[in-house]
Amino acid sequence: MRGLVGALLFLFPSAFRRKFGAEMLATFDRRWQEQPGWRLAVRTALDLILAATQVRFSGRAAPVPHPKGDKVMTVLLQDLRFAARTLLRSPGFTVVALLTLALGIGVNAAMFSVAHAVLWHSFPSGA
């Protein structure tokens, strides 16, 4: 199957193959190791044919993905989306976690307000 994918990569322009060919083969190899089968083979072949057609006739040399911000922000946004999806899957845990955070923040604010009033504003100003 790897040979077929390698052959289908020749549908892409040579500049595109040099830039992305090895990465595309490595991605296919990883997916094939995870779940080999005829569905993956057919889907991969059709995707490569469609992508090669788009690259050849789009007028651009190669589609270049534009990252959203720098790498740190991209990873942070992915982590936040994952956290939101996970919390939406378990609403009971989400409610308990939010109540715990709210209680902790409220108690912390109250204690600092009392400490501020007692320690810094309890002494008379002036002699």
Side-chain angles (χ1 to χ4, degrees):
M1 185 61 208
R2 190 176 201 278
L4 175 64
V5 172
L8 288 174
L9 287 177
F10 278 97
L11 295 174
F12 290 93
S14 60
F16 185 92
R17 275 196 320 270
R18 280 192 302 274
K19 189 170 186 179
F20 299 108
E23 186 177 340
M24 291 171 79
L25 272 175
T27 301
F28 172 75
D29 287 340
R30 263 193 320 273
R31 287 186 180 172
W32 189 257
Q33 287 175 352
E34 291 173 4
Q35 190 177 16
W38 65 272
R39 288 183 183 185
L40 177 63
V42 170
R43 188 174 65 228
T44 301
L46 290 176
D47 286 346
L48 285 174
I49 292 169
L50 180 65
T53 305
Q54 288 175 347
V55 168
R56 285 248 183 225
F57 297 113
S58 69
R60 291 187 302 169
V64 178
H66 297 286
K68 299 175 190 172
D70 60 353
K71 185 168 176 55
V72 173
M73 287 305 293
T74 303
V75 171
L76 177 65
L77 287 174
Q78 288 174 349
D79 287 346
L80 289 175
R81 283 190 212 111
F82 176 74
R85 283 194 311 268
T86 303
L87 289 174
L88 288 174
R89 281 191 206 124
S90 55
F93 174 77
T94 303
V95 168
V96 170
L98 288 176
L99 287 175
T100 303
L101 279 171
L103 184 63
I105 292 170
V107 168
N108 195 13
M111 292 304 295
F112 274 102
S113 296
V114 168
H116 182 70
V118 169
L119 295 177
W120 285 282
H121 290 290
S122 64
F123 298 116
S125 60

